Amino acid sequence: MATYRRLDVAFASGRGAWLTDQAGARYLDALSGIAVCGLGHAHPAVAEALAEQAGRLVHTSNLYRIPLQEELAERLTEVTGMERVFFCNSGAEANEAALKICRKFARHKQVAEPLIIAMTGSFHGRTMATLSATGKEEVRAGFEPLLPGFLHVPYNDLSALQLPEAVHARVVAVMLEAIQGEGGVNVPTPGYLRALRELCRRNGWLLVLDEVQTGMGRTGAWCAYQHEAILPEVVTLAKSLGNGVPIGACLAGGAAADMLQPGSHGSTFGGNPLAAAAALAVIRTLREQHLVEHAATCGAAMLARFREQLGAIDGVVAIRGKGLMIGIELERDCGVLVEQALQRRLLLNVTAGKVVRLLPPLVITEQEADQIVATVCLLVKEFCH
């Protein structure tokens, strides 16, 4: 089906931050499969884990214990501070599980018509429930009627949560991305997430953080909420968790930890031995090679250089980011830069129409980071003049 506008290039192989097309041309990947290949392409630790596990056992189903899944749950609760994990196959499924937890929590509190507060500009997935939570009209258009029970308010605006008493009484949760990715790499004001955490605590609401794009070290911490030293009730992960192998996770703690019980949710493939082996290899590699810390330092250096070279350019509205998640907002739509970058053998993305989005792999070297900065600065300067 014609659901994608694909660029006219096909890749045959990859290694680290580089992809090679069918004609043998090499491209520097500053997108990582949309924040998926955090360890880059064909990482030997992941390849070895997959090959070894595929030769032993791929799938048994969740009717039985899966030791690798249990080990992965231990590792994920360690790095996130959560208590329990539900495994699935994607970010949308992880967010779907989070929304079901919120609905179960509402029944537990005997709220008959619960409301989940979500944010304008957000993106949580394309299933009917996650689409209903998503705050982008262009994504939702044509799929109405959507699921009821969502109230969208402006992101990074605490005053928007001063609700009429009748509405306030129906709220059971607040769901948001720690940093909005598809919405334009929107980084909240320092203290916003902490204040939101306190607001939810006072009101007995669940705080649900979508870390599908920001999780697994992308922002220089295992999860972006850790920059503010807070702990939500629900966290969702996917994308770079398996470095390209489909796997998602919905983690819960506190009042949300035991909402899902046998029979209330499930997944045929979720957390099977093959996917769990890949994710365990990812976590081991991130730790052994100190790649979370590298994302913080390398990303900060790139951000500083972008601000130095582009900050005073007419047509550049803002340069923002955290770790290796960087957005350069321009005054006008700049989708043409994707094709122009491709011609210069660089892969990047434009989101929200006007934001150049960079999500390079966490294994990127200083030289590769310099090349990305140089090429992007050249493209933006040409575009703005």
Side-chain angles (χ1 to χ4, degrees):
M1 298 184 187
T3 51
Y4 304 99
R5 293 189 181 92
R6 291 187 170 97
L7 294 166
D8 190 20
V9 63
F11 299 108
S13 63
R15 176 67 66 174
W18 295 86
L19 284 165
T20 303
D21 71 13
Q22 291 177 314
R26 295 177 77 235
Y27 298 73
L28 181 53
D29 187 358
L31 189 58
S32 306
I34 318 179
V36 167
C37 298
L39 301 186
H41 302 285
H43 194 282
V46 178
E48 182 181 344
L50 286 170
E52 184 180 337
Q53 190 58 42
R56 183 184 297 119
L57 184 66
V58 171
H59 181 81
T60 59
S61 92
N62 283 297
L63 294 175
Y64 315 103
R65 284 185 57 194
I66 305 174
L68 285 170
Q69 183 189 103
E70 294 170 8
E71 184 184 350
L72 178 57
E74 290 286 349
R75 300 291 82 77
L76 285 176
T77 53
E78 277 178 16
V79 298
T80 62
M82 295 288 103
E83 300 171 38
R84 297 189 181 276
V85 191
F86 172 80
F87 288 106
C88 50
N89 312 288
S90 67
E93 288 178 59
N95 285 332
E96 190 87 13
L99 293 169
K100 289 183 75 172
I101 287 172
C102 294
R103 287 289 183 91
K104 277 284 189 180
F105 180 70
R107 295 297 173 267
H108 179 73
K109 292 186 69 176
Q110 298 183 319
V111 179
E113 296 182 355
L115 280 176
I116 298 169
I117 295 174
M119 304 293 159
T120 55
S122 62
F123 181 83
H124 297 294
R126 296 184 185 273
T127 64
M128 287 307 294
T130 57
L131 192 64
S132 302
T134 291
K136 295 170 72 72
E137 289 301 326
E138 63 272 24
V139 177
R140 296 152 56 99
F143 297 102
E144 301 85 356
L146 298 173
L147 228 61
F150 293 92
L151 173 65
H152 289 91
V153 304
Y155 183 72
N156 198 29
D157 181 0
L158 286 170
S159 67
L161 292 165
Q162 296 173 2
L163 305 170
E165 187 175 343
V167 176
H168 189 281
R170 295 173 54 198
V171 174
V172 295
V174 177
M175 182 179 191
L176 73 158
E177 296 152 281
I179 296 172
Q180 288 189 337
E182 301 299 320
V185 191
N186 298 317
V187 182
T189 305
Y192 171 70
L193 291 180
R194 195 178 305 115
L196 201 53
R197 166 68 286 175
E198 178 58 22
L199 181 69
C200 289
R201 188 196 62 78
R202 287 201 314 267
N203 289 294
W205 302 341
L206 300 181
L207 178 60
V208 181
L209 287 177
D210 178 341
E211 295 260 6
V212 169
Q213 191 166 137
T214 51
M216 302 306 295
R218 168 62 52 190
T219 69
W222 283 97
C223 290
Y225 64 81
Q226 292 168 333
H227 291 294
E228 299 235 337
I230 64 166
L231 204 60
E233 278 79 27
V234 183
V235 179
T236 57
L237 299 171
K239 286 196 180 286
S240 59
L241 178 55
N243 208 60
V245 176
I247 182 170
C250 177
L251 299 99
D258 297 314
M259 285 295 124
L260 297 183
Q261 293 293 321
S264 59
H265 200 39
S267 171
T268 297
F269 298 105
N272 74 13
L274 189 71
L280 283 167
V282 168
I283 293 173
R284 280 196 301 270
T285 304
L286 288 172
R287 280 177 157 165
E288 290 170 2
Q289 298 184 10
H290 307 289
L291 292 174
V292 179
E293 296 84 352
H294 177 66
T297 56
C298 184
M302 289 179 72
L303 197 61
R305 290 190 58 201
F306 278 127
R307 286 172 174 162
E308 179 185 340
Q309 296 191 37
L310 298 177
I313 299 291
D314 288 340
V316 176
V317 175
I319 301 166
R320 52 186 178 256
K322 196 80 172 173
L324 288 172
M325 183 177 186
I326 296 171
I328 302 169
E329 183 178 351
L330 306 183
E331 280 185 348
R332 54 193 171 97
D333 286 355
C334 58
V336 295
L337 291 180
V338 175
E339 182 66 45
Q340 291 175 12
L342 188 69
Q343 292 169 7
R344 288 175 167 84
R345 302 289 189 262
L346 177 69
L347 305 182
L348 52 73
N349 173 247
V350 168
T351 192
K354 303 176 183 180
V355 181
V356 177
R357 177 172 52 164
L358 302 171
L359 301 161
L362 276 60
V363 296
I364 196 169
T365 65
E366 185 179 337
Q367 292 75 21
E368 290 162 346
D370 289 345
Q371 186 172 337
I372 291 171
V373 171
T375 304
V376 170
C377 286
L378 179 65
L379 287 165
V380 170
K381 288 174 181 177
E382 289 179 352
F383 179 79
C384 289
H385 289 91

PDB file of all heavy atoms in Angstrom, residues 169-187:
ATOM      1  N   ALA A 169     -11.918  16.252  38.166  1.00  0.00           N
ATOM      2  CA  ALA A 169     -12.361  15.052  38.888  1.00  0.00           C
ATOM      3  C   ALA A 169     -12.306  13.793  38.027  1.00  0.00           C
ATOM      4  O   ALA A 169     -12.268  12.684  38.558  1.00  0.00           O
ATOM      5  CB  ALA A 169     -13.783  15.262  39.396  1.00  0.00           C
ATOM      6  N   ARG A 170     -12.287  13.957  36.706  1.00  0.00           N
ATOM      7  CA  ARG A 170     -12.265  12.803  35.796  1.00  0.00           C
ATOM      8  C   ARG A 170     -10.853  12.391  35.393  1.00  0.00           C
ATOM      9  O   ARG A 170     -10.655  11.305  34.839  1.00  0.00           O
ATOM     10  CB  ARG A 170     -13.081  13.113  34.542  1.00  0.00           C
ATOM     11  CG  ARG A 170     -14.567  13.309  34.785  1.00  0.00           C
ATOM     12  CD  ARG A 170     -15.250  13.778  33.505  1.00  0.00           C
ATOM     13  NE  ARG A 170     -14.991  12.894  32.383  1.00  0.00           N
ATOM     14  CZ  ARG A 170     -15.168  13.225  31.102  1.00  0.00           C
ATOM     15  NH1 ARG A 170     -15.593  14.450  30.793  1.00  0.00           N
ATOM     16  NH2 ARG A 170     -14.916  12.370  30.136  1.00  0.00           N
ATOM     17  N   VAL A 171      -9.868  13.240  35.648  1.00  0.00           N
ATOM     18  CA  VAL A 171      -8.496  12.954  35.205  1.00  0.00           C
ATOM     19  C   VAL A 171      -7.885  11.830  36.039  1.00  0.00           C
ATOM     20  O   VAL A 171      -7.986  11.823  37.264  1.00  0.00           O
ATOM     21  CB  VAL A 171      -7.616  14.223  35.295  1.00  0.00           C
ATOM     22  CG1 VAL A 171      -6.158  13.894  34.969  1.00  0.00           C
ATOM     23  CG2 VAL A 171      -8.139  15.303  34.359  1.00  0.00           C
ATOM     24  N   VAL A 172      -7.248  10.869  35.356  1.00  0.00           N
ATOM     25  CA  VAL A 172      -6.580   9.765  36.053  1.00  0.00           C
ATOM     26  C   VAL A 172      -5.093   9.684  35.709  1.00  0.00           C
ATOM     27  O   VAL A 172      -4.331   9.014  36.419  1.00  0.00           O
ATOM     28  CB  VAL A 172      -7.250   8.407  35.736  1.00  0.00           C
ATOM     29  CG1 VAL A 172      -8.665   8.366  36.285  1.00  0.00           C
ATOM     30  CG2 VAL A 172      -7.224   8.110  34.242  1.00  0.00           C
ATOM     31  N   ALA A 173      -4.670  10.358  34.614  1.00  0.00           N
ATOM     32  CA  ALA A 173      -3.273  10.239  34.202  1.00  0.00           C
ATOM     33  C   ALA A 173      -2.878  11.393  33.297  1.00  0.00           C
ATOM     34  O   ALA A 173      -3.730  12.016  32.653  1.00  0.00           O
ATOM     35  CB  ALA A 173      -3.039   8.912  33.474  1.00  0.00           C
ATOM     36  N   VAL A 174      -1.582  11.648  33.261  1.00  0.00           N
ATOM     37  CA  VAL A 174      -0.995  12.590  32.309  1.00  0.00           C
ATOM     38  C   VAL A 174       0.029  11.813  31.503  1.00  0.00           C
ATOM     39  O   VAL A 174       0.916  11.165  32.064  1.00  0.00           O
ATOM     40  CB  VAL A 174      -0.310  13.778  33.015  1.00  0.00           C
ATOM     41  CG1 VAL A 174       0.351  14.698  31.986  1.00  0.00           C
ATOM     42  CG2 VAL A 174      -1.315  14.552  33.849  1.00  0.00           C
ATOM     43  N   MET A 175      -0.101  11.862  30.178  1.00  0.00           N
ATOM     44  CA  MET A 175       0.796  11.128  29.277  1.00  0.00           C
ATOM     45  C   MET A 175       1.517  12.114  28.373  1.00  0.00           C
ATOM     46  O   MET A 175       0.893  12.978  27.750  1.00  0.00           O
ATOM     47  CB  MET A 175       0.000  10.137  28.431  1.00  0.00           C
ATOM     48  CG  MET A 175       0.843   9.296  27.493  1.00  0.00           C
ATOM     49  SD  MET A 175      -0.203   8.127  26.573  1.00  0.00           S
ATOM     50  CE  MET A 175       1.044   7.067  25.841  1.00  0.00           C
ATOM     51  N   LEU A 176       2.835  11.970  28.276  1.00  0.00           N
ATOM     52  CA  LEU A 176       3.606  12.865  27.415  1.00  0.00           C
ATOM     53  C   LEU A 176       4.951  12.250  27.086  1.00  0.00           C
ATOM     54  O   LEU A 176       5.406  11.318  27.743  1.00  0.00           O
ATOM     55  CB  LEU A 176       3.807  14.222  28.085  1.00  0.00           C
ATOM     56  CG  LEU A 176       4.801  14.303  29.250  1.00  0.00           C
ATOM     57  CD1 LEU A 176       5.276  15.742  29.426  1.00  0.00           C
ATOM     58  CD2 LEU A 176       4.186  13.804  30.549  1.00  0.00           C
ATOM     59  N   GLU A 177       5.573  12.796  26.039  1.00  0.00           N
ATOM     60  CA  GLU A 177       6.954  12.458  25.714  1.00  0.00           C
ATOM     61  C   GLU A 177       7.872  13.336  26.561  1.00  0.00           C
ATOM     62  O   GLU A 177       7.627  14.532  26.704  1.00  0.00           O
ATOM     63  CB  GLU A 177       7.224  12.710  24.239  1.00  0.00           C
ATOM     64  CG  GLU A 177       6.409  11.833  23.304  1.00  0.00           C
ATOM     65  CD  GLU A 177       6.158  12.514  21.968  1.00  0.00           C
ATOM     66  OE1 GLU A 177       5.263  13.382  21.898  1.00  0.00           O
ATOM     67  OE2 GLU A 177       6.874  12.185  21.004  1.00  0.00           O
ATOM     68  N   ALA A 178       8.925  12.737  27.098  1.00  0.00           N
ATOM     69  CA  ALA A 178       9.871  13.519  27.896  1.00  0.00           C
ATOM     70  C   ALA A 178      10.489  14.627  27.048  1.00  0.00           C
ATOM     71  O   ALA A 178      10.732  15.735  27.530  1.00  0.00           O
ATOM     72  CB  ALA A 178      10.950  12.609  28.458  1.00  0.00           C
ATOM     73  N   ILE A 179      10.756  14.325  25.790  1.00  0.00           N
ATOM     74  CA  ILE A 179      11.103  15.308  24.762  1.00  0.00           C
ATOM     75  C   ILE A 179      10.290  14.930  23.541  1.00  0.00           C
ATOM     76  O   ILE A 179      10.295  13.768  23.129  1.00  0.00           O
ATOM     77  CB  ILE A 179      12.608  15.284  24.422  1.00  0.00           C
ATOM     78  CG1 ILE A 179      13.466  15.679  25.623  1.00  0.00           C
ATOM     79  CG2 ILE A 179      12.911  16.196  23.233  1.00  0.00           C
ATOM     80  CD1 ILE A 179      14.960  15.500  25.411  1.00  0.00           C
ATOM     81  N   GLN A 180       9.566  15.876  22.965  1.00  0.00           N
ATOM     82  CA  GLN A 180       8.759  15.563  21.784  1.00  0.00           C
ATOM     83  C   GLN A 180       9.668  15.376  20.577  1.00  0.00           C
ATOM     84  O   GLN A 180      10.414  16.278  20.197  1.00  0.00           O
ATOM     85  CB  GLN A 180       7.738  16.662  21.512  1.00  0.00           C
ATOM     86  CG  GLN A 180       6.599  16.698  22.512  1.00  0.00           C
ATOM     87  CD  GLN A 180       5.497  17.661  22.101  1.00  0.00           C
ATOM     88  OE1 GLN A 180       5.714  18.597  21.345  1.00  0.00           O
ATOM     89  NE2 GLN A 180       4.297  17.420  22.611  1.00  0.00           N
ATOM     90  N   GLY A 181       9.587  14.188  19.975  1.00  0.00           N
ATOM     91  CA  GLY A 181      10.416  13.891  18.818  1.00  0.00           C
ATOM     92  C   GLY A 181       9.768  14.298  17.515  1.00  0.00           C
ATOM     93  O   GLY A 181      10.212  15.225  16.836  1.00  0.00           O
ATOM     94  N   GLU A 182       8.670  13.613  17.164  1.00  0.00           N
ATOM     95  CA  GLU A 182       7.973  13.915  15.911  1.00  0.00           C
ATOM     96  C   GLU A 182       7.422  15.335  15.913  1.00  0.00           C
ATOM     97  O   GLU A 182       7.250  15.949  14.861  1.00  0.00           O
ATOM     98  CB  GLU A 182       6.817  12.922  15.697  1.00  0.00           C
ATOM     99  CG  GLU A 182       7.229  11.471  15.631  1.00  0.00           C
ATOM    100  CD  GLU A 182       8.186  11.172  14.490  1.00  0.00           C
ATOM    101  OE1 GLU A 182       7.995  11.723  13.395  1.00  0.00           O
ATOM    102  OE2 GLU A 182       9.138  10.404  14.703  1.00  0.00           O
ATOM    103  N   GLY A 183       7.165  15.874  17.084  1.00  0.00           N
ATOM    104  CA  GLY A 183       6.625  17.225  17.189  1.00  0.00           C
ATOM    105  C   GLY A 183       7.640  18.321  16.916  1.00  0.00           C
ATOM    106  O   GLY A 183       7.286  19.500  16.883  1.00  0.00           O
ATOM    107  N   GLY A 184       8.936  17.949  16.741  1.00  0.00           N
ATOM    108  CA  GLY A 184       9.935  18.944  16.398  1.00  0.00           C
ATOM    109  C   GLY A 184      11.104  19.036  17.351  1.00  0.00           C
ATOM    110  O   GLY A 184      11.731  20.087  17.468  1.00  0.00           O
ATOM    111  N   VAL A 185      11.436  17.941  18.036  1.00  0.00           N
ATOM    112  CA  VAL A 185      12.508  17.926  19.041  1.00  0.00           C
ATOM    113  C   VAL A 185      12.276  19.069  20.034  1.00  0.00           C
ATOM    114  O   VAL A 185      13.103  19.960  20.218  1.00  0.00           O
ATOM    115  CB  VAL A 185      13.912  18.010  18.404  1.00  0.00           C
ATOM    116  CG1 VAL A 185      14.988  17.717  19.452  1.00  0.00           C
ATOM    117  CG2 VAL A 185      14.055  17.028  17.247  1.00  0.00           C
ATOM    118  N   ASN A 186      11.112  19.030  20.663  1.00  0.00           N
ATOM    119  CA  ASN A 186      10.743  20.052  21.639  1.00  0.00           C
ATOM    120  C   ASN A 186      11.202  19.622  23.028  1.00  0.00           C
ATOM    121  O   ASN A 186      10.709  18.653  23.594  1.00  0.00           O
ATOM    122  CB  ASN A 186       9.226  20.268  21.629  1.00  0.00           C
ATOM    123  CG  ASN A 186       8.740  20.758  20.284  1.00  0.00           C
ATOM    124  OD1 ASN A 186       9.354  21.633  19.675  1.00  0.00           O
ATOM    125  ND2 ASN A 186       7.652  20.191  19.789  1.00  0.00           N
ATOM    126  N   VAL A 187      12.178  20.362  23.557  1.00  0.00           N
ATOM    127  CA  VAL A 187      12.762  20.055  24.861  1.00  0.00           C
ATOM    128  C   VAL A 187      12.064  20.911  25.910  1.00  0.00           C
ATOM    129  O   VAL A 187      12.035  22.138  25.794  1.00  0.00           O
ATOM    130  CB  VAL A 187      14.275  20.342  24.868  1.00  0.00           C
ATOM    131  CG1 VAL A 187      14.889  19.971  26.208  1.00  0.00           C
ATOM    132  CG2 VAL A 187      14.961  19.598  23.728  1.00  0.00           C
TER     133      VAL A 187
END
